[in-house]
Amino acid sequence: MGGRGANSGYGGGMSTGNNGRGPSRFIDKTAKYKGMTMHQFENAIRDKKVEYIGIYDKDGKLIVAGTSENSHAVAIPRHHPDFDKAYTLTHNHPYAPSDDPERMIGGTFSTADVRNHIKLDLKGETRAVSNGPNENTYIFRAKPGVKQDTAAFLKHADQADASWRAAARLTVKSAEDRLAKQKRALPTRRENQIILGVAKHAWKSDEVAKSGYEYVEIKKKHW
């Protein structure tokens, strides 16, 4: 995959990868998706095997879209000349079964996603779409009419990042032990569902709501 497509130069030193780091090369695909609504764009990228990103303005018009041709992250095109109009960021999380269970989570948000939302000062939403088992469309945004406590939320995000991983490992181990007594193995897809379910609780918690943010899960793949 690497090496195809010209670097637009729009990558701005941030990405959707862990801790906001990842690829810096950004291949501009805006012309391909120009005129699409956000939902149309999300349905077009949902099944991609590499991450794509789309930046929309307040009126729902596509500003820029593209990819870094990387399955785990995409550069955020902060150097695009109209990025100051960015209101909503949407991207896909490719589903990729792996020997590392933490890398099998395609849906919901990483800590980097929610941190980027705040760092970029997005007034709209950060959205993620995926096509893995039980994975749908996810939305993170400020709760309307409520004052945001950014510091409290970021503290929760950092704590959640460590705690959900530990909880997920314990939950998977418990399921494996139960099945082992029946001389059965835990299917890979079931393992992913368990881990994903635990991860979602990090963003469904009361701490998120108390901080003035909300997490929305739309349980339809194409809507």
Side-chain angles (χ1 to χ4, degrees):
M1 289 183 295
R4 296 199 307 269
N7 187 354
S8 65
Y10 292 158
M14 288 175 65
S15 87
T16 60
N18 289 338
N19 299 314
R21 296 191 293 268
S24 59
R25 184 175 68 123
F26 183 82
I27 302 166
D28 188 1
K29 299 285 187 179
T30 309
K32 180 177 180 179
Y33 299 104
K34 187 177 180 180
M36 282 190 178
T37 66
M38 186 158 51
H39 294 164
Q40 289 171 334
F41 174 72
E42 288 176 340
N43 287 336
I45 67 171
R46 187 183 297 273
D47 298 329
K48 298 285 189 184
K49 296 186 183 302
V50 296
E51 279 201 27
Y52 276 69
I53 191 172
I55 305 295
Y56 282 78
D57 68 13
K58 190 174 183 179
D59 297 321
K61 181 180 178 181
L62 180 65
I63 296 172
V64 58
T67 181
S68 297
E69 294 188 338
N70 184 293
S71 62
H72 301 299
V74 58
I76 297 175
R78 291 195 301 159
H79 290 166
H80 186 277
D82 291 326
F83 193 82
D84 60 336
K85 299 176 184 177
Y87 188 76
T88 290
L89 180 160
T90 186
H91 64 308
N92 65 314
H93 282 174
Y95 171 68
S98 167
D99 291 335
D100 178 357
E102 291 183 10
R103 295 184 69 179
M104 292 194 299
I105 297 177
T108 201
F109 295 111
S110 66
T111 305
D113 285 329
V114 295
R115 278 192 160 277
N116 285 343
H117 180 92
I118 292 172
K119 187 172 183 179
L120 292 168
D121 195 27
L122 294 174
K123 304 302 183 186
E125 302 172 338
T126 287
R127 301 167 63 96
V129 299
S130 188
N131 67 346
N134 290 348
E135 297 182 14
N136 307 287
T137 296
Y138 307 90
I139 298 170
F140 176 78
R141 63 194 178 199
K143 193 171 183 179
V146 178
K147 185 177 180 180
Q148 278 67 54
D149 187 340
T150 301
F153 172 74
L154 291 176
K155 181 179 179 181
H156 166 72
D158 286 341
Q159 292 172 341
D161 190 51
S163 63
W164 78 255
R165 295 175 191 277
R169 285 192 289 269
L170 288 174
T171 306
V172 168
K173 180 66 165 56
S174 177
E176 288 176 334
D177 289 346
R178 285 199 309 270
L179 289 172
K181 292 177 182 178
Q182 304 170 25
K183 297 184 178 180
R184 295 165 55 199
L186 182 66
T188 298
R189 287 199 167 201
R190 178 57 183 152
E191 182 177 2
N192 182 70
Q193 290 168 2
I194 291 172
I195 296 170
L196 181 62
V198 174
K200 288 177 181 179
H201 282 291
W203 311 124
K204 291 180 179 179
S205 71
D206 290 341
E207 284 80 1
V208 173
K210 289 176 183 177
S211 301
Y213 294 92
E214 61 182 359
Y215 168 89
V216 180
E217 181 180 346
I218 300 172
K219 297 185 177 182
K220 294 181 181 179
K221 289 187 176 180
H222 295 79
W223 61 293

